[in-house]
Amino acid sequence: MKPDTSDVRKPARRRRGILSKMAQGRNIFAELGRRHVWRAAVLYAGAVWALSQGISQLTPALNLPDYATRWFLIAAAIGFPFWLVFAWYYEFTPQGLQREAAITEDTPNRHSVARKLDFAIIGVLMVAVALLASGYFIHRNAPAAEAAAKPFNPPADTLVVLPFANESGDPKQQYFSDGITEELTNALGQNTALRVIAWDTASHYRDRTQSATSIGKALDVANVLTGKILRQGDAVRVIVELVNARTGYQVWSNHYDDSLANVFQVQDKISAAIAQALQVKFASLGAAPTVNPQAHDLVLRARALTDKSRTAGPIEQARKLYEQAIALDPDYADAHAGLARVWYILTEFSTLPLKDGLPRVREEANKALALDPRNVEALLQRANADGDEGRRAEARAGYERALAIDPSNSAAHMDYGNALPLQPGLAQYLEAVQFDPDNATAQNNVVVAELDLGEYAQALAPVQAMMRLDPASPDNALGLALVDSLLHRNADAVKAFDDAKPDTALARALIAAGRLTYQSVLDPRLRTQALAAVDALRRRTDLDPTSVADVIQLEMALGQHSTALDLLPKYCAAEPVGCNDLGLNPVYLPLRGEPRFEALVKQYDTISKPPASDSAVPASSSL
């Protein structure tokens, strides 16, 4: 019987099949290498990487949408297999692009092409790495490097008055030392030979650990005034020291002992001594008033309440304190001027209608000016009332008078900017930022002017500063989200709310609704939830004018144009200065041409369509 060998031969045939496939695979890989497909793939990936880095870095400068890089990468991924097919069938040769099948086996030419592709790959990868390094290191470190390299050479006439130390040992007396420092800052600001940093910014250095030179560099000032205040009964001791920020050396120092009733005379003595030490002409302010010490103390307490307040409660407390001070000393001009300011603030941060608040503002401002015609606060509040009542020429005259007396007054620069055409107004806002860089309102006015001018990228830095300076304000977070959305940075618009620190129920509701609104732009499934949140806000009875403007912004972002237009007349009536840029403000772009909106533009807009009777027009001062 013949032996069966089928079981022996079958495994041999299977082994030959496997070896054959392995050899075929090696041939395919070898063919891919011979046709330079591997090199073409690496070159393509390197070029895509380099281009994506470049697009990412140029997106803010060119106002490209934030998804530009993502869509480029998607398109590149789609094109990758087509590129590989192209590399399989075609080859770059010294004679140009040719079909691979038409190329004869010419080893030197193929070797030359391989070397060129290798050099191209190396070059593309070097460019990609360079772009990556510049984006993540050079650009991020440039501001710090420039600041470190920039020579410190501030103007000789610049000065900051740092918060005087409270030497009483009682933290509850901080308002007194702060108040005296603020009054001294204002008195020095009325010396036209000096440029004095505003109290709002200087107050942030109360618990300072930096040297005078470090603070001088941060604020770009040549001189730093520090001091200590001790109040004991009816007596006060003030110790002051003037330091040259460039050298760190003391220029002058002294101490003053007097009664609380003569505290303004002490301030005048300090101002005169500083002018002499800096070799500038002292601006005589006239005879210093003698005030009732109790009334003065009440005024200092009221200022401490209004300086940082954004809600009606503390401002109402300040109103009562000013009224008590006036009852004790009816001839105290600063008390009347402070009360005028409080009435004006209440029209912004409470439900007090503007038409009811302005007569009280004007009444108290006029009383203050009858007692002291140089009272800058009273001049500003009366000018604000003039502007809101349509007397723009009178308003400008009031602001100009205030600035002639106190050229360092940042609030005067801001308010004056509201009464000017757009470009001169922006110049005044920037001047206010120079005197008071840590003032969120000054930064806000710069943002609005830049948006009205269409310079969205220019608005990003000041709106980020607003958020850093006052994270508790929902208006600042919404302003940052607005600028991000105008720059097509929709993901960043959502992140704008991450650093918000709302401190009231209304603020928390605004932040929550704002985050939902801008999330719904990215994810339409959230739109219903966002609409409900904004609708709940709109129905609240505690909305102040600023909050109404925030709700309008959210309605516009959600495309609820009709609802937003329903709210706009209420906002404009309560805050006319916030509506004098209606025809330019990008928030209202979708409303242009709508009859109701155009009627509001005609009534309130004094920028895009100035009235024939008054050529100078104000710029908006609120987002």
Side-chain angles (χ1 to χ4, degrees):
M1 185 174 177
K2 188 176 181 179
D4 184 359
T5 59
S6 61
D7 289 340
V8 177
R9 288 194 297 272
K10 286 179 182 177
R13 285 195 296 271
R14 284 197 295 270
R15 284 195 294 270
R16 283 198 297 271
I18 293 172
L19 289 173
S20 176
K21 290 179 181 179
M22 290 177 62
Q24 184 180 8
R26 282 197 299 268
N27 290 337
I28 291 174
F29 287 123
E31 189 65 14
L32 289 172
R34 188 182 71 82
R35 296 176 183 234
H36 308 307
V37 175
W38 297 123
R39 290 182 173 88
V42 174
L43 180 62
Y44 186 92
V48 168
W49 182 28
L51 286 171
S52 66
Q53 292 293 326
I55 293 171
S56 178
Q57 293 181 37
L58 289 173
T59 292
L62 298 178
N63 273 352
L64 296 175
D66 54 4
Y67 51 78
T69 304
R70 181 169 66 251
W71 280 110
F72 169 76
L73 291 174
I74 292 173
I78 294 171
F80 184 63
F82 295 97
W83 172 257
L84 295 182
V85 171
F86 176 84
W88 176 269
Y89 285 107
Y90 290 90
E91 187 170 324
F92 289 100
T93 71
Q95 291 75 38
L97 185 66
Q98 295 185 13
R99 284 287 299 267
E100 195 280 336
I103 300 173
T104 58
E105 289 296 330
D106 185 354
T107 303
N109 279 347
R110 289 189 180 276
H111 183 67
S112 174
V113 170
R115 285 178 57 83
K116 290 178 181 179
L117 286 173
D118 289 340
F119 284 131
I121 292 170
I122 293 170
V124 166
L125 292 177
M126 290 177 64
V127 170
V129 171
L131 286 170
L132 184 66
S134 66
Y136 284 92
F137 297 102
I138 298 175
H139 288 173
R140 289 189 177 185
N141 296 331
E146 289 175 5
K150 182 181 178 181
F152 178 47
N153 188 28
D157 62 349
T158 50
L159 172 72
V160 61
V161 184
L162 299 182
F164 284 11
N166 170 23
E167 293 291 292
S168 69
D170 181 6
K172 295 181 180 179
Q173 294 295 315
Q174 187 66 52
Y175 77 91
F176 182 81
S177 56
D178 283 353
I180 296 298
T181 311
E182 183 176 2
E183 288 182 338
L184 180 58
T185 300
N186 294 338
L188 286 166
Q190 295 189 26
N191 192 322
T192 56
L194 293 175
R195 292 174 59 84
V196 183
I197 294 294
W199 164 249
D200 185 77
T201 291
S203 65
H204 294 170
Y205 292 89
R206 178 186 294 113
D207 301 318
R208 62 189 180 276
T209 57
Q210 308 99 309
S211 66
T213 298
S214 298
I215 295 173
K217 286 182 177 179
L219 298 175
D220 196 32
V221 296
N223 304 283
V224 178
L225 186 70
T226 63
K228 302 176 182 179
I229 293 181
L230 174 62
R231 180 172 71 166
Q232 292 181 322
D234 292 333
V236 63
R237 163 169 280 203
V238 182
I239 304 171
V240 285
E241 178 185 30
L242 183 65
V243 177
N244 185 318
R246 286 171 290 193
T247 65
Y249 294 143
Q250 182 188 93
V251 176
W252 163 84
S253 68
N254 207 340
H255 74 274
Y256 301 86
D257 297 287
D258 214 320
S259 67
L260 287 174
N262 295 327
V263 69
F264 290 108
Q265 286 89 331
V266 172
Q267 293 175 13
D268 281 358
K269 291 177 183 178
I270 295 172
S271 297
I274 290 173
Q276 182 178 5
L278 297 179
Q279 298 180 345
V280 298
K281 184 179 179 180
F282 175 61
S284 178
L285 306 179
T290 299
V291 301
N292 181 306
Q294 290 179 283
H296 182 230
D297 188 78
L298 289 167
V299 166
L300 296 185
R301 291 177 184 271
R303 283 185 188 148
L305 286 170
T306 56
D307 277 349
K308 299 293 183 183
S309 296
R310 298 178 308 278
T311 57
I315 301 170
E316 277 289 352
Q317 295 177 41
R319 179 181 65 81
K320 295 175 182 178
L321 292 173
Y322 278 123
E323 290 173 346
Q324 292 173 31
I326 292 170
L328 288 171
D329 190 349
D331 294 335
Y332 189 3
D334 282 356
H336 287 287
L339 184 55
R341 180 182 178 224
V342 161
W343 280 120
Y344 194 83
I345 296 174
L346 282 171
T347 68
E348 297 178 319
F349 294 105
S350 78
T351 55
L352 175 68
L354 188 67
K355 63 181 180 62
D356 295 338
L358 288 183
R360 297 175 180 180
V361 172
R362 187 178 297 281
E363 178 185 2
E364 295 300 328
N366 285 334
K367 287 179 180 179
L369 291 170
L371 295 165
D372 177 12
R374 292 175 56 87
N375 191 291
V376 173
E377 185 67 72
L379 286 168
L380 291 180
Q381 298 311 322
R382 188 170 69 179
N384 287 340
D386 285 334
D388 285 338
E389 291 174 349
R391 291 189 285 270
R392 285 180 289 277
E394 291 89 341
R396 288 196 304 275
Y399 297 135
E400 290 165 0
R401 171 64 175 157
L403 285 170
I405 296 171
D406 187 359
S408 294
N409 193 299
S410 62
H413 284 288
M414 283 188 284
D415 291 340
Y416 187 36
N418 294 340
L420 294 174
L422 195 52
Q423 286 287 6
L426 176 58
Q428 288 296 320
Y429 301 147
L430 293 172
E431 190 79 1
V433 170
Q434 288 294 315
F435 286 113
D436 201 357
D438 286 356
N439 187 309
T441 302
Q443 299 284 1
N444 172 84
N445 288 8
V446 173
V447 170
V448 174
E450 296 288 11
L451 294 183
D452 287 346
L453 289 167
E455 300 290 347
Y456 302 158
Q458 295 294 326
L460 188 58
V463 80
Q464 288 172 336
M466 287 166 53
M467 190 65 195
R468 173 179 56 82
L469 292 168
D470 191 5
S473 169
D475 189 55
N476 292 344
L478 285 161
L480 178 55
L482 171 64
V483 174
D484 280 328
S485 67
L486 290 171
L487 291 171
H488 307 290
R489 297 154 49 110
N490 294 323
D492 288 329
V494 176
K495 295 177 184 176
F497 301 94
D498 291 348
D499 294 328
K501 299 177 181 178
D503 54 0
T504 66
L506 175 58
R508 286 189 286 273
L510 283 164
I511 291 297
R515 180 181 283 108
L516 265 174
T517 295
Y518 287 96
Q519 283 176 331
S520 71
V521 174
L522 295 173
D523 185 357
R525 292 173 296 179
L526 297 173
R527 177 177 171 78
T528 301
Q529 191 177 350
L531 286 170
V534 175
D535 184 63
L537 273 173
R538 183 167 51 83
R539 297 177 186 278
R540 293 180 69 120
T541 59
D542 59 345
L543 293 179
D544 54 70
T546 301
S547 301
V548 173
D550 292 337
V551 174
I552 291 172
Q553 176 186 326
L554 296 179
E555 296 278 17
M556 293 298 297
L558 288 167
Q560 300 295 99
H561 301 159
S562 179
T563 308
L565 196 48
D566 290 340
L567 289 173
L568 202 51
K570 175 183 177 182
Y571 171 62
C572 292
E575 191 82 355
V577 73
C579 290
N580 57 13
D581 67 336
L582 288 178
L584 295 175
N585 195 316
V587 171
Y588 307 118
L589 182 62
L591 300 179
R592 293 178 191 173
E594 208 281 346
R596 284 194 297 160
F597 178 72
E598 293 302 328
L600 292 172
V601 171
K602 184 177 181 180
Q603 182 178 358
Y604 291 102
D605 191 328
T606 53
I607 291 181
S608 60
K609 297 178 180 179
S613 60
D614 198 329
S615 58
V617 291
S620 173
S621 65
S622 69
L623 285 172

